[in-house]
Amino acid sequence: MSHDKPLAGKTAVVTGAGRGVGRSVALYFARAGADVAICSRTIAELEAVKAEIEALDVRCLMGAVDLSDQDATQVFCARVLEEMKAVDVLVNNAGAELDTGRIEASDPSKWWKTIEINVRGPYMVTRFLMEGLSEGAKIINVTSGMGKRAGDKNSAYHISKAAMNMFTDALANELWPRRIDVNNLIPGPVATSMLNKDKPGDRRTTPEEVLERFAEGVPPGFPEWERLKHPDEVAELALYMATRPVGGPTGQSFSLARRPL
């Protein structure tokens, strides 16, 4: 393993890779030498990321996939296994916040769609890639500190991330005999376009633009002790997790979220 290309000869799958954290993770892995399979719902964003990855002289397979659609998800995973043969790193990053209010005023279809994308999606991707995971592979589930507390709104998101914490633990136990490590990555607040939900017409969507918008503090709803991070910071942690030696930590949470003493 080369120090400057620690993932050379490896294949990584990153969901939700068209923008934000997923895009940064996919590019970091490609720079580290990995061939990368990427998916998200927006083909134009995927094509832009694919071009950047291939410019790094590694392979890239892409698929426009709604992870709440079982057939489309299974087709994408089958393509990955057919063309890439084996998967050494899987990053379940795709997620959604479609109903952020209180339960009493929630939209049942949007509430359940959040659960489908955030829980059923990672389950299906993992399930359909399971036979192709190499011995010693890494699974990284991007979760949230919101999965550790209930809050008084945005229940679907809190519940979905709590479920992902248990999914990580269950997978870590089941895949122990194959020496596959399964861990959570908790980013804390990250400068992505999701933070512009309160201003739908705001075109500031790059991480740098979002960081500039909230330069005086963290976005509303986050504790004052938190710090807004660039997606590349999350990608650095994901790369660290992806390059741990076989037999490393499993069933654990790696966090960039800050906690007061």
Side-chain angles (χ1 to χ4, degrees):
M1 181 178 70
S2 165
H3 288 296
D4 60 335
K5 300 286 186 181
L7 292 180
K10 305 284 188 181
T11 294
V13 177
V14 183
T15 69
R19 65 176 80 168
V21 168
R23 174 183 176 277
S24 285
V25 170
L27 289 169
Y28 260 69
F29 284 7
R31 293 186 194 106
D35 294 326
V36 187
I38 57 175
C39 68
S40 76
R41 289 177 291 178
T42 308
I43 193 166
E45 292 177 340
L46 284 174
E47 287 175 339
V49 177
K50 184 176 189 289
E52 289 187 72
I53 289 173
E54 290 180 335
L56 297 167
D57 200 28
V58 295
R59 295 175 62 202
C60 182
L61 180 154
M62 68 171 225
V65 183
D66 181 343
L67 293 184
S68 67
D69 183 330
Q70 178 172 331
D71 291 339
T73 303
Q74 190 164 11
V75 167
F76 171 72
C77 292
R79 281 185 59 214
V80 171
L81 295 184
E82 180 180 359
E83 297 186 29
M84 302 294 203
K85 306 308 179 187
V87 175
D88 303 294
V89 185
L90 167 60
V91 181
N92 284 311
N93 165 72
E97 283 184 283
L98 303 178
D99 191 299
T100 59
R102 296 170 67 88
I103 292 173
E104 62 192 356
S106 61
D107 179 321
S109 62
K110 290 182 179 179
W111 196 98
W112 189 246
K113 183 85 167 181
T114 300
I115 301 295
E116 282 195 311
I117 294 172
N118 292 0
V119 182
R120 187 165 174 254
Y123 154 74
M124 289 194 297
V125 172
T126 307
R127 169 66 183 84
F128 296 142
L129 292 178
M130 189 77 77
E131 67 181 42
L133 292 172
S134 61
E135 181 177 354
K138 312 293 183 187
I139 298 177
I140 300 170
N141 292 324
V142 179
T143 59
S144 171
M146 293 172 71
K148 297 180 180 296
R149 60 184 187 277
D152 62 354
K153 56 185 177 180
N154 203 3
S155 59
Y157 191 80
H158 284 265
I159 289 167
S160 68
K161 293 305 182 179
M164 282 304 297
N165 291 335
M166 186 58 68
F167 181 62
T168 293
D169 289 350
L171 266 180
N173 290 338
E174 289 189 22
L175 296 178
W176 179 272
R178 292 173 59 182
R179 305 178 77 192
I180 295 173
D181 299 332
V182 189
N183 293 294
N184 293 323
L185 193 166
I186 300 175
V190 182
T192 69
S193 57
M194 289 182 68
L195 296 182
N196 283 336
K197 291 193 298 290
D198 61 321
K199 294 186 177 182
D202 194 332
R203 296 182 180 276
R204 293 179 293 183
T205 57
T206 69
E208 292 75 18
E209 289 168 334
V210 176
L211 284 166
E212 181 181 2
R213 177 185 172 190
F214 296 106
E216 300 304 317
V218 293
F222 290 100
E224 62 181 8
W225 56 77
E226 273 290 7
R227 178 179 65 83
L228 193 58
K229 290 166 285 292
H230 193 286
D232 286 353
E233 295 183 61
V234 185
E236 288 177 7
L237 178 55
L239 181 59
Y240 172 84
M241 295 169 67
T243 54
R244 293 306 84 210
V246 175
T250 192
Q252 305 298 316
S253 291
F254 291 75
S255 178
L256 290 174
R258 301 184 70 237
R259 295 288 182 267
L261 295 175

